[in-house]
Amino acid sequence: MNLAIKEGIKELRLRKAIELYVTGKKSMKQAARIAGVSLAEWFEIARERGLLVQINPEEIEEGLNVLSD
């Protein structure tokens, strides 16, 4: 697969993830997974695009569990 196609697919996945996140259909973590990026990368994308970062209680608890392991 050539580079232009790969970049196009990556951008489409990112756009879809943003759409689902902004409409509340997917969580931040789910959107990052759809976009194919890490959660840290998702935070950067959200900041760059002026998205409101919303963390639900389950994601906070999950993050704390990961940190305590």
Side-chain angles (χ1 to χ4, degrees):
M1 189 180 302
N2 72 30
L3 184 59
I5 293 174
K6 285 182 184 179
E7 288 300 315
I9 291 171
K10 183 177 178 180
E11 181 61 27
L12 287 173
R13 289 178 65 172
L14 180 58
R15 285 185 197 173
K16 186 62 177 179
I18 290 170
E19 174 190 327
L20 292 169
Y21 176 72
V22 168
T23 59
K25 294 179 181 174
K26 296 294 180 186
S27 70
M28 183 174 51
K29 185 176 178 182
Q30 292 168 323
R33 192 174 303 129
I34 291 167
V37 299
S38 70
L39 207 46
E41 290 171 304
W42 179 260
F43 277 115
E44 182 63 24
I45 290 166
R47 186 187 63 76
E48 288 172 354
R49 298 190 183 216
L51 302 177
L52 177 63
V53 175
Q54 303 171 27
I55 302 173
N56 64 40
E58 293 83 19
E59 290 174 319
I60 293 171
E61 185 175 324
E62 191 175 298
L64 291 173
N65 289 337
V66 169
L67 291 174
S68 65
D69 288 344

Short mmCIF file of all heavy atoms in Angstrom, two decimals:
data_model
loop_
_atom_site.label_atom_id
_atom_site.label_comp_id
_atom_site.label_asym_id
_atom_site.label_seq_id
_atom_site.Cartn_x
_atom_site.Cartn_y
_atom_site.Cartn_z
N MET A 1 0.86 -1.17 0.00
CA MET A 1 0.00 0.00 0.00
C MET A 1 0.91 1.23 0.00
O MET A 1 1.86 1.31 0.76
CB MET A 1 -0.88 -0.04 1.26
CG MET A 1 -1.96 0.98 1.25
SD MET A 1 -3.02 0.98 2.73
CE MET A 1 -3.69 -0.66 2.76
N ASN A 2 0.60 2.18 -0.82
CA ASN A 2 1.48 3.34 -0.89
C ASN A 2 1.21 4.33 0.24
O ASN A 2 0.18 4.29 0.91
CB ASN A 2 1.43 4.01 -2.27
CG ASN A 2 0.15 4.75 -2.54
OD1 ASN A 2 -0.48 5.27 -1.63
ND2 ASN A 2 -0.24 4.82 -3.80
N LEU A 3 2.14 5.22 0.43
CA LEU A 3 2.11 6.16 1.54
C LEU A 3 0.87 7.07 1.52
O LEU A 3 0.26 7.33 2.55
CB LEU A 3 3.38 7.01 1.55
CG LEU A 3 3.55 7.97 2.70
CD1 LEU A 3 3.54 7.23 4.03
CD2 LEU A 3 4.83 8.76 2.56
N ALA A 4 0.48 7.54 0.35
CA ALA A 4 -0.67 8.43 0.23
C ALA A 4 -1.95 7.74 0.71
O ALA A 4 -2.77 8.35 1.42
CB ALA A 4 -0.84 8.92 -1.21
N ILE A 5 -2.11 6.48 0.37
CA ILE A 5 -3.29 5.73 0.80
C ILE A 5 -3.27 5.53 2.30
O ILE A 5 -4.27 5.72 2.99
CB ILE A 5 -3.39 4.39 0.05
CG1 ILE A 5 -3.67 4.64 -1.44
CG2 ILE A 5 -4.46 3.50 0.67
CD1 ILE A 5 -3.64 3.40 -2.31
N LYS A 6 -2.10 5.17 2.85
CA LYS A 6 -1.97 4.97 4.30
C LYS A 6 -2.30 6.25 5.05
O LYS A 6 -3.00 6.23 6.06
CB LYS A 6 -0.56 4.51 4.66
CG LYS A 6 -0.29 3.09 4.32
CD LYS A 6 1.12 2.70 4.75
CE LYS A 6 1.45 1.30 4.33
NZ LYS A 6 2.81 0.90 4.71
N GLU A 7 -1.78 7.37 4.58
CA GLU A 7 -2.05 8.66 5.23
C GLU A 7 -3.53 9.03 5.13
O GLU A 7 -4.10 9.57 6.07
CB GLU A 7 -1.18 9.76 4.64
CG GLU A 7 0.28 9.66 5.03
CD GLU A 7 0.51 9.75 6.53
OE1 GLU A 7 -0.09 10.62 7.19
OE2 GLU A 7 1.29 8.93 7.05
N GLY A 8 -4.14 8.73 3.99
CA GLY A 8 -5.57 9.01 3.80
C GLY A 8 -6.42 8.19 4.75
O GLY A 8 -7.36 8.70 5.36
N ILE A 9 -6.08 6.92 4.92
CA ILE A 9 -6.82 6.05 5.83
C ILE A 9 -6.64 6.54 7.27
O ILE A 9 -7.60 6.59 8.04
CB ILE A 9 -6.36 4.59 5.67
CG1 ILE A 9 -6.81 4.05 4.31
CG2 ILE A 9 -6.90 3.72 6.82
CD1 ILE A 9 -6.24 2.71 3.94
N LYS A 10 -5.42 6.92 7.62
CA LYS A 10 -5.15 7.42 8.97
C LYS A 10 -5.98 8.66 9.26
O LYS A 10 -6.57 8.79 10.33
CB LYS A 10 -3.66 7.73 9.11
CG LYS A 10 -3.25 8.17 10.48
CD LYS A 10 -1.75 8.37 10.56
CE LYS A 10 -1.35 8.88 11.93
NZ LYS A 10 0.09 9.08 12.04
N GLU A 11 -6.06 9.57 8.30
CA GLU A 11 -6.84 10.80 8.48
C GLU A 11 -8.33 10.50 8.59
O GLU A 11 -9.03 11.09 9.41
CB GLU A 11 -6.58 11.78 7.32
CG GLU A 11 -7.34 13.09 7.43
CD GLU A 11 -7.01 13.93 8.67
OE1 GLU A 11 -5.88 13.82 9.21
OE2 GLU A 11 -7.89 14.69 9.11
N LEU A 12 -8.82 9.56 7.80
CA LEU A 12 -10.24 9.19 7.88
C LEU A 12 -10.58 8.59 9.24
O LEU A 12 -11.62 8.90 9.82
CB LEU A 12 -10.60 8.21 6.76
CG LEU A 12 -10.69 8.78 5.36
CD1 LEU A 12 -10.89 7.66 4.33
CD2 LEU A 12 -11.82 9.79 5.27
N ARG A 13 -9.69 7.73 9.74
CA ARG A 13 -9.90 7.13 11.06
C ARG A 13 -9.91 8.21 12.14
O ARG A 13 -10.74 8.18 13.05
CB ARG A 13 -8.81 6.11 11.37
CG ARG A 13 -8.92 4.84 10.55
CD ARG A 13 -7.82 3.89 10.85
NE ARG A 13 -7.95 3.44 12.25
CZ ARG A 13 -7.22 2.48 12.77
NH1 ARG A 13 -6.30 1.88 12.06
NH2 ARG A 13 -7.38 2.13 14.03
N LEU A 14 -9.02 9.17 12.01
CA LEU A 14 -8.94 10.26 12.98
C LEU A 14 -10.22 11.10 12.94
O LEU A 14 -10.80 11.43 13.98
CB LEU A 14 -7.71 11.13 12.72
CG LEU A 14 -7.52 12.31 13.65
CD1 LEU A 14 -7.42 11.87 15.11
CD2 LEU A 14 -6.28 13.09 13.26
N ARG A 15 -10.68 11.45 11.76
CA ARG A 15 -11.90 12.24 11.62
C ARG A 15 -13.10 11.52 12.22
O ARG A 15 -13.93 12.13 12.90
CB ARG A 15 -12.19 12.54 10.15
CG ARG A 15 -11.31 13.59 9.55
CD ARG A 15 -11.76 13.88 8.15
NE ARG A 15 -10.74 14.59 7.41
CZ ARG A 15 -10.80 14.86 6.14
NH1 ARG A 15 -11.85 14.47 5.43
NH2 ARG A 15 -9.84 15.50 5.53
N LYS A 16 -13.21 10.21 11.95
CA LYS A 16 -14.32 9.43 12.47
C LYS A 16 -14.25 9.38 14.00
O LYS A 16 -15.25 9.52 14.69
CB LYS A 16 -14.32 8.02 11.88
CG LYS A 16 -15.51 7.20 12.27
CD LYS A 16 -16.79 7.83 11.75
CE LYS A 16 -18.01 6.99 12.06
NZ LYS A 16 -19.23 7.61 11.57
N ALA A 17 -13.05 9.17 14.54
CA ALA A 17 -12.86 9.12 15.99
C ALA A 17 -13.26 10.44 16.63
O ALA A 17 -13.94 10.46 17.66
CB ALA A 17 -11.41 8.77 16.31
N ILE A 18 -12.86 11.54 16.02
CA ILE A 18 -13.22 12.86 16.54
C ILE A 18 -14.72 13.05 16.52
O ILE A 18 -15.33 13.50 17.49
CB ILE A 18 -12.50 13.98 15.77
CG1 ILE A 18 -10.99 13.96 16.08
CG2 ILE A 18 -13.11 15.35 16.08
CD1 ILE A 18 -10.16 14.86 15.20
N GLU A 19 -15.35 12.69 15.41
CA GLU A 19 -16.80 12.81 15.30
C GLU A 19 -17.51 12.01 16.39
O GLU A 19 -18.43 12.51 17.06
CB GLU A 19 -17.24 12.30 13.92
CG GLU A 19 -18.75 12.25 13.74
CD GLU A 19 -19.13 11.52 12.46
OE1 GLU A 19 -18.39 11.60 11.46
OE2 GLU A 19 -20.19 10.87 12.47
N LEU A 20 -17.10 10.77 16.60
CA LEU A 20 -17.73 9.92 17.60
C LEU A 20 -17.49 10.45 19.01
O LEU A 20 -18.37 10.38 19.87
CB LEU A 20 -17.22 8.49 17.47
CG LEU A 20 -17.65 7.76 16.20
CD1 LEU A 20 -16.88 6.45 16.05
CD2 LEU A 20 -19.15 7.52 16.19
N TYR A 21 -16.32 11.00 19.25
CA TYR A 21 -15.98 11.54 20.56
C TYR A 21 -16.78 12.81 20.85
O TYR A 21 -17.38 12.96 21.90
CB TYR A 21 -14.48 11.81 20.64
CG TYR A 21 -14.06 12.47 21.93
CD1 TYR A 21 -14.06 11.76 23.12
CD2 TYR A 21 -13.70 13.80 21.96
CE1 TYR A 21 -13.70 12.36 24.31
CE2 TYR A 21 -13.33 14.42 23.14
CZ TYR A 21 -13.34 13.69 24.32
OH TYR A 21 -12.98 14.29 25.49
N VAL A 22 -16.81 13.71 19.88
CA VAL A 22 -17.49 15.00 20.06
C VAL A 22 -18.99 14.80 20.27
O VAL A 22 -19.61 15.52 21.05
CB VAL A 22 -17.21 15.93 18.86
CG1 VAL A 22 -18.12 17.15 18.86
CG2 VAL A 22 -15.76 16.36 18.86
N THR A 23 -19.57 13.82 19.61
CA THR A 23 -21.00 13.56 19.76
C THR A 23 -21.32 12.73 21.00
O THR A 23 -22.49 12.47 21.29
CB THR A 23 -21.58 12.85 18.52
OG1 THR A 23 -20.90 11.61 18.33
CG2 THR A 23 -21.45 13.73 17.27
N GLY A 24 -20.28 12.31 21.72
CA GLY A 24 -20.49 11.55 22.95
C GLY A 24 -20.77 10.07 22.74
O GLY A 24 -21.11 9.35 23.67
N LYS A 25 -20.59 9.60 21.51
CA LYS A 25 -20.86 8.19 21.23
C LYS A 25 -19.71 7.29 21.65
O LYS A 25 -19.90 6.09 21.83
CB LYS A 25 -21.16 8.00 19.74
CG LYS A 25 -22.45 8.68 19.33
CD LYS A 25 -22.73 8.51 17.86
CE LYS A 25 -24.02 9.24 17.50
NZ LYS A 25 -24.26 9.22 16.06
N LYS A 26 -18.52 7.86 21.78
CA LYS A 26 -17.34 7.09 22.19
C LYS A 26 -16.58 7.88 23.25
O LYS A 26 -16.56 9.11 23.24
CB LYS A 26 -16.40 6.81 21.01
CG LYS A 26 -17.00 5.94 19.93
CD LYS A 26 -17.26 4.54 20.42
CE LYS A 26 -17.88 3.69 19.32
NZ LYS A 26 -18.28 2.38 19.77
N SER A 27 -15.96 7.15 24.14
CA SER A 27 -15.14 7.77 25.18
C SER A 27 -13.81 8.21 24.57
O SER A 27 -13.49 7.87 23.42
CB SER A 27 -14.88 6.78 26.31
OG SER A 27 -14.00 5.74 25.86
N MET A 28 -13.06 8.91 25.36
CA MET A 28 -11.74 9.36 24.93
C MET A 28 -10.86 8.16 24.57
O MET A 28 -10.20 8.15 23.53
CB MET A 28 -11.12 10.17 26.06
CG MET A 28 -9.80 10.78 25.77
SD MET A 28 -9.28 11.85 27.12
CE MET A 28 -9.48 10.79 28.53
N LYS A 29 -10.86 7.16 25.42
CA LYS A 29 -10.05 5.97 25.17
C LYS A 29 -10.51 5.23 23.91
O LYS A 29 -9.69 4.79 23.11
CB LYS A 29 -10.13 5.05 26.39
CG LYS A 29 -9.24 3.86 26.31
CD LYS A 29 -9.30 3.06 27.60
CE LYS A 29 -8.45 1.83 27.51
NZ LYS A 29 -8.55 1.03 28.74
N GLN A 30 -11.81 5.10 23.74
CA GLN A 30 -12.34 4.44 22.55
C GLN A 30 -11.99 5.21 21.28
O GLN A 30 -11.63 4.62 20.26
CB GLN A 30 -13.86 4.28 22.67
CG GLN A 30 -14.28 3.31 23.74
CD GLN A 30 -15.78 3.40 24.02
OE1 GLN A 30 -16.37 4.48 23.99
NE2 GLN A 30 -16.39 2.25 24.29
N ALA A 31 -12.10 6.53 21.36
CA ALA A 31 -11.77 7.36 20.20
C ALA A 31 -10.30 7.22 19.84
O ALA A 31 -9.95 7.12 18.66
CB ALA A 31 -12.12 8.81 20.48
N ALA A 32 -9.44 7.20 20.84
CA ALA A 32 -8.01 7.02 20.58
C ALA A 32 -7.76 5.69 19.89
O ALA A 32 -6.97 5.61 18.94
CB ALA A 32 -7.21 7.11 21.88
N ARG A 33 -8.44 4.66 20.35
CA ARG A 33 -8.27 3.33 19.75
C ARG A 33 -8.73 3.34 18.29
O ARG A 33 -8.07 2.80 17.41
CB ARG A 33 -9.06 2.30 20.56
CG ARG A 33 -8.73 0.88 20.20
CD ARG A 33 -9.39 -0.15 21.10
NE ARG A 33 -9.04 0.07 22.50
CZ ARG A 33 -9.93 0.15 23.49
NH1 ARG A 33 -11.21 0.04 23.24
NH2 ARG A 33 -9.54 0.34 24.72
N ILE A 34 -9.88 3.97 18.02
CA ILE A 34 -10.39 4.06 16.65
C ILE A 34 -9.41 4.81 15.76
O ILE A 34 -9.15 4.42 14.62
CB ILE A 34 -11.78 4.74 16.63
CG1 ILE A 34 -12.81 3.81 17.28
CG2 ILE A 34 -12.19 5.11 15.20
CD1 ILE A 34 -14.12 4.48 17.60
N ALA A 35 -8.86 5.89 16.30
CA ALA A 35 -7.91 6.70 15.53
C ALA A 35 -6.57 6.00 15.36
O ALA A 35 -5.76 6.41 14.52
CB ALA A 35 -7.70 8.05 16.22
N GLY A 36 -6.32 4.97 16.16
CA GLY A 36 -5.05 4.25 16.06
C GLY A 36 -3.90 4.99 16.71
O GLY A 36 -2.77 4.88 16.26
N VAL A 37 -4.22 5.74 17.77
CA VAL A 37 -3.19 6.51 18.48
C VAL A 37 -3.23 6.18 19.97
O VAL A 37 -4.23 5.67 20.47
CB VAL A 37 -3.35 8.03 18.27
CG1 VAL A 37 -3.23 8.40 16.80
CG2 VAL A 37 -4.66 8.54 18.84
N SER A 38 -2.17 6.51 20.66
CA SER A 38 -2.14 6.33 22.11
C SER A 38 -3.00 7.39 22.77
O SER A 38 -3.36 8.40 22.14
CB SER A 38 -0.70 6.43 22.63
OG SER A 38 -0.26 7.77 22.53
N LEU A 39 -3.30 7.18 24.03
CA LEU A 39 -4.07 8.16 24.77
C LEU A 39 -3.32 9.49 24.87
O LEU A 39 -3.92 10.56 24.75
CB LEU A 39 -4.39 7.62 26.17
CG LEU A 39 -5.64 8.12 26.85
CD1 LEU A 39 -6.86 8.13 25.94
CD2 LEU A 39 -5.91 7.32 28.10
N ALA A 40 -2.01 9.42 25.03
CA ALA A 40 -1.19 10.64 25.08
C ALA A 40 -1.29 11.40 23.75
O ALA A 40 -1.42 12.62 23.73
CB ALA A 40 0.25 10.30 25.40
N GLU A 41 -1.24 10.65 22.64
CA GLU A 41 -1.37 11.29 21.33
C GLU A 41 -2.76 11.90 21.16
O GLU A 41 -2.91 12.96 20.56
CB GLU A 41 -1.11 10.28 20.22
CG GLU A 41 0.34 9.85 20.12
CD GLU A 41 0.52 8.69 19.15
OE1 GLU A 41 -0.14 7.65 19.33
OE2 GLU A 41 1.34 8.85 18.23
N TRP A 42 -3.78 11.19 21.70
CA TRP A 42 -5.15 11.71 21.61
C TRP A 42 -5.26 13.05 22.33
O TRP A 42 -5.89 13.97 21.85
CB TRP A 42 -6.15 10.71 22.17
CG TRP A 42 -7.54 11.23 22.09
CD1 TRP A 42 -8.28 11.79 23.08
CD2 TRP A 42 -8.36 11.31 20.91
NE1 TRP A 42 -9.50 12.20 22.62
CE2 TRP A 42 -9.58 11.91 21.28
CE3 TRP A 42 -8.18 10.93 19.59
CZ2 TRP A 42 -10.60 12.13 20.37
CZ3 TRP A 42 -9.20 11.16 18.69
CH2 TRP A 42 -10.40 11.76 19.08
N PHE A 43 -4.65 13.15 23.53
CA PHE A 43 -4.67 14.42 24.26
C PHE A 43 -4.05 15.53 23.41
O PHE A 43 -4.56 16.65 23.38
CB PHE A 43 -3.91 14.30 25.59
CG PHE A 43 -4.73 13.72 26.70
CD1 PHE A 43 -4.38 12.50 27.26
CD2 PHE A 43 -5.83 14.39 27.20
CE1 PHE A 43 -5.12 11.97 28.29
CE2 PHE A 43 -6.58 13.86 28.24
CZ PHE A 43 -6.22 12.64 28.79
N GLU A 44 -2.96 15.23 22.74
CA GLU A 44 -2.30 16.23 21.90
C GLU A 44 -3.19 16.63 20.73
O GLU A 44 -3.32 17.81 20.41
CB GLU A 44 -0.96 15.68 21.40
CG GLU A 44 -0.16 16.65 20.55
CD GLU A 44 0.27 17.89 21.30
OE1 GLU A 44 0.38 17.87 22.54
OE2 GLU A 44 0.52 18.91 20.63
N ILE A 45 -3.81 15.65 20.09
CA ILE A 45 -4.73 15.93 18.98
C ILE A 45 -5.89 16.79 19.46
O ILE A 45 -6.27 17.77 18.81
CB ILE A 45 -5.24 14.61 18.36
CG1 ILE A 45 -4.11 13.90 17.62
CG2 ILE A 45 -6.43 14.85 17.43
CD1 ILE A 45 -4.40 12.46 17.27
N ALA A 46 -6.45 16.43 20.61
CA ALA A 46 -7.57 17.19 21.17
C ALA A 46 -7.16 18.64 21.44
O ALA A 46 -7.90 19.58 21.14
CB ALA A 46 -8.06 16.52 22.45
N ARG A 47 -5.97 18.81 22.00
CA ARG A 47 -5.47 20.16 22.28
C ARG A 47 -5.30 20.95 20.99
O ARG A 47 -5.74 22.09 20.88
CB ARG A 47 -4.15 20.10 23.04
CG ARG A 47 -3.64 21.47 23.49
CD ARG A 47 -2.26 21.40 24.08
NE ARG A 47 -1.25 20.94 23.14
CZ ARG A 47 -0.74 21.70 22.15
NH1 ARG A 47 -1.13 22.92 21.99
NH2 ARG A 47 0.17 21.20 21.34
N GLU A 48 -4.68 20.33 20.00
CA GLU A 48 -4.42 21.01 18.73
C GLU A 48 -5.72 21.41 18.03
O GLU A 48 -5.77 22.44 17.36
CB GLU A 48 -3.63 20.09 17.79
CG GLU A 48 -2.20 19.89 18.20
CD GLU A 48 -1.49 18.84 17.36
OE1 GLU A 48 -2.15 18.16 16.53
OE2 GLU A 48 -0.28 18.66 17.56
N ARG A 49 -6.74 20.60 18.18
CA ARG A 49 -8.00 20.85 17.47
C ARG A 49 -9.05 21.54 18.33
O ARG A 49 -10.19 21.71 17.90
CB ARG A 49 -8.54 19.54 16.91
CG ARG A 49 -7.54 18.96 15.89
CD ARG A 49 -8.10 17.82 15.15
NE ARG A 49 -7.08 17.27 14.26
CZ ARG A 49 -7.33 16.79 13.07
NH1 ARG A 49 -8.56 16.78 12.61
NH2 ARG A 49 -6.36 16.29 12.34
N GLY A 50 -8.66 21.91 19.53
CA GLY A 50 -9.57 22.64 20.41
C GLY A 50 -10.74 21.83 20.92
O GLY A 50 -11.80 22.38 21.21
N LEU A 51 -10.54 20.51 21.07
CA LEU A 51 -11.61 19.66 21.57
C LEU A 51 -11.65 19.70 23.09
O LEU A 51 -10.60 19.74 23.74
CB LEU A 51 -11.39 18.20 21.13
CG LEU A 51 -11.32 17.94 19.64
CD1 LEU A 51 -11.03 16.47 19.38
CD2 LEU A 51 -12.58 18.36 18.94
N LEU A 52 -12.83 19.67 23.63
CA LEU A 52 -13.00 19.59 25.07
C LEU A 52 -12.69 18.16 25.50
O LEU A 52 -13.29 17.21 25.00
CB LEU A 52 -14.44 19.96 25.45
CG LEU A 52 -14.80 19.86 26.92
CD1 LEU A 52 -13.95 20.86 27.74
CD2 LEU A 52 -16.27 20.14 27.11
N VAL A 53 -11.73 18.00 26.40
CA VAL A 53 -11.37 16.67 26.87
C VAL A 53 -12.30 16.31 28.02
O VAL A 53 -12.37 17.01 29.02
CB VAL A 53 -9.90 16.62 27.33
CG1 VAL A 53 -9.56 15.27 27.93
CG2 VAL A 53 -8.98 16.92 26.16
N GLN A 54 -13.02 15.22 27.83
CA GLN A 54 -13.97 14.75 28.83
C GLN A 54 -13.56 13.37 29.28
O GLN A 54 -13.43 12.46 28.47
CB GLN A 54 -15.38 14.70 28.23
CG GLN A 54 -15.84 16.02 27.68
CD GLN A 54 -17.13 15.89 26.92
OE1 GLN A 54 -17.93 15.01 27.17
NE2 GLN A 54 -17.33 16.77 25.95
N ILE A 55 -13.37 13.22 30.57
CA ILE A 55 -12.98 11.93 31.12
C ILE A 55 -14.12 11.44 32.01
O ILE A 55 -14.54 12.13 32.92
CB ILE A 55 -11.69 12.05 31.96
CG1 ILE A 55 -10.57 12.61 31.09
CG2 ILE A 55 -11.30 10.71 32.55
CD1 ILE A 55 -9.30 12.93 31.84
N ASN A 56 -14.60 10.23 31.70
CA ASN A 56 -15.69 9.70 32.53
C ASN A 56 -15.11 8.97 33.74
O ASN A 56 -13.93 8.63 33.76
CB ASN A 56 -16.64 8.82 31.69
CG ASN A 56 -15.97 7.58 31.16
OD1 ASN A 56 -15.18 6.94 31.84
ND2 ASN A 56 -16.31 7.20 29.94
N PRO A 57 -15.91 8.76 34.77
CA PRO A 57 -15.41 8.14 36.01
C PRO A 57 -14.74 6.78 35.80
O PRO A 57 -13.76 6.46 36.47
CB PRO A 57 -16.67 8.01 36.86
CG PRO A 57 -17.58 9.05 36.35
CD PRO A 57 -17.30 9.17 34.88
N GLU A 58 -15.25 5.99 34.88
CA GLU A 58 -14.65 4.68 34.62
C GLU A 58 -13.22 4.82 34.10
O GLU A 58 -12.34 4.04 34.47
CB GLU A 58 -15.50 3.88 33.62
CG GLU A 58 -16.86 3.47 34.14
CD GLU A 58 -17.90 4.58 34.01
OE1 GLU A 58 -17.72 5.52 33.22
OE2 GLU A 58 -18.91 4.50 34.74
N GLU A 59 -12.99 5.80 33.24
CA GLU A 59 -11.65 6.01 32.71
C GLU A 59 -10.68 6.48 33.79
O GLU A 59 -9.52 6.08 33.81
CB GLU A 59 -11.68 7.01 31.55
CG GLU A 59 -12.33 6.46 30.31
CD GLU A 59 -12.51 7.50 29.22
OE1 GLU A 59 -12.86 8.65 29.52
OE2 GLU A 59 -12.29 7.14 28.06
N ILE A 60 -11.17 7.30 34.71
CA ILE A 60 -10.31 7.75 35.81
C ILE A 60 -9.94 6.57 36.69
O ILE A 60 -8.77 6.37 37.02
CB ILE A 60 -11.03 8.84 36.64
CG1 ILE A 60 -11.20 10.10 35.80
CG2 ILE A 60 -10.25 9.14 37.92
CD1 ILE A 60 -12.06 11.15 36.44
N GLU A 61 -10.93 5.75 37.04
CA GLU A 61 -10.68 4.59 37.88
C GLU A 61 -9.72 3.62 37.19
O GLU A 61 -8.79 3.11 37.81
CB GLU A 61 -12.00 3.88 38.20
CG GLU A 61 -11.84 2.73 39.17
CD GLU A 61 -13.18 2.14 39.57
OE1 GLU A 61 -14.16 2.89 39.70
OE2 GLU A 61 -13.21 0.93 39.77
N GLU A 62 -9.92 3.40 35.90
CA GLU A 62 -9.06 2.51 35.15
C GLU A 62 -7.62 3.03 35.13
O GLU A 62 -6.68 2.27 35.31
CB GLU A 62 -9.58 2.38 33.71
CG GLU A 62 -8.94 1.30 32.89
CD GLU A 62 -9.62 1.18 31.54
OE1 GLU A 62 -10.82 0.87 31.52
OE2 GLU A 62 -8.94 1.41 30.53
N GLY A 63 -7.47 4.32 34.95
CA GLY A 63 -6.13 4.93 34.95
C GLY A 63 -5.46 4.78 36.29
O GLY A 63 -4.27 4.51 36.38
N LEU A 64 -6.22 4.97 37.35
CA LEU A 64 -5.66 4.82 38.69
C LEU A 64 -5.24 3.38 38.97
O LEU A 64 -4.22 3.12 39.60
CB LEU A 64 -6.67 5.30 39.75
CG LEU A 64 -6.94 6.79 39.78
CD1 LEU A 64 -8.07 7.11 40.74
CD2 LEU A 64 -5.69 7.57 40.14
N ASN A 65 -6.04 2.43 38.47
CA ASN A 65 -5.68 1.03 38.64
C ASN A 65 -4.39 0.68 37.93
O ASN A 65 -3.57 -0.06 38.44
CB ASN A 65 -6.82 0.12 38.15
CG ASN A 65 -8.03 0.15 39.06
OD1 ASN A 65 -7.93 0.47 40.23
ND2 ASN A 65 -9.19 -0.17 38.51
N VAL A 66 -4.22 1.23 36.74
CA VAL A 66 -2.99 0.99 35.97
C VAL A 66 -1.79 1.56 36.73
O VAL A 66 -0.75 0.92 36.83
CB VAL A 66 -3.09 1.60 34.56
CG1 VAL A 66 -1.75 1.61 33.87
CG2 VAL A 66 -4.11 0.86 33.73
N LEU A 67 -1.95 2.74 37.29
CA LEU A 67 -0.85 3.38 38.03
C LEU A 67 -0.49 2.61 39.31
O LEU A 67 0.66 2.60 39.70
CB LEU A 67 -1.21 4.82 38.39
CG LEU A 67 -1.29 5.80 37.23
CD1 LEU A 67 -1.79 7.14 37.71
CD2 LEU A 67 0.06 5.94 36.54
N SER A 68 -1.47 1.98 39.92
CA SER A 68 -1.20 1.29 41.19
C SER A 68 -0.64 -0.12 40.98
O SER A 68 -0.16 -0.72 41.91
CB SER A 68 -2.47 1.21 42.04
OG SER A 68 -3.46 0.42 41.41
N ASP A 69 -0.71 -0.64 39.76
CA ASP A 69 -0.18 -2.00 39.49
C ASP A 69 1.33 -2.02 39.42
O ASP A 69 2.03 -1.16 39.16
CB ASP A 69 -0.75 -2.55 38.18
CG ASP A 69 -2.22 -2.92 38.31
OD1 ASP A 69 -2.70 -3.03 39.46
OD2 ASP A 69 -2.87 -3.06 37.27
#
